[in-house]
């Protein structure tokens, strides 16, 4: 999680607004928004540019399908 510091995010911001972790952790975090009534999610991948495509693929293949169940 603290790898996000170079992107200008403070620990307080990370703890309050970010969902960070393995796919299961992200599913759990995003489901809390869905259960609260959210019907749209906006995802911003905060990672090095060379990792962004892999992160999008991982979320598309493992996280979003689990949230739809």
């Amino acid at each position: 999680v603290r790898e996000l510091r170079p992107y200008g995010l403070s620990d307080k911001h990370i703890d309050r607004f970010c969902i960070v972790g393995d796919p299961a952790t992200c599913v759990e975090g995003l489901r809390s928004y869905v259960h609260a009534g959210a019907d749209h999610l906006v995802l911003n991948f905060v990672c090095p540019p060379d990792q962004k495509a892999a992160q999008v693929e991982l979320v598309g293949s493992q996280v979003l399908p689990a949230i739809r169940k």
Side-chain angles (χ1 to χ4, degrees):
V1 169
R2 303 310 167 218
E3 301 87 41
L4 298 175
R5 284 185 185 143
Y7 297 96
L9 300 175
S10 68
D11 288 351
K12 183 178 180 179
H13 184 96
I14 294 166
D15 294 339
R16 180 154 183 200
F17 299 110
C18 298
I19 298 173
V20 179
D22 62 19
T25 301
C26 293
V27 167
E28 182 180 328
L30 291 172
R31 275 191 180 149
S32 68
Y33 288 102
V34 172
H35 290 163
D39 56 7
H40 291 82
L41 299 170
V42 176
L43 305 178
N44 183 20
F45 297 90
V46 182
C47 58
D50 64 330
Q51 295 178 12
K52 194 162 284 197
Q55 294 297 315
V56 171
E57 175 63 31
L58 186 64
V59 168
S61 66
Q62 295 185 29
V63 177
L64 296 180
I67 293 170
R68 292 182 182 126
K69 292 182 181 178

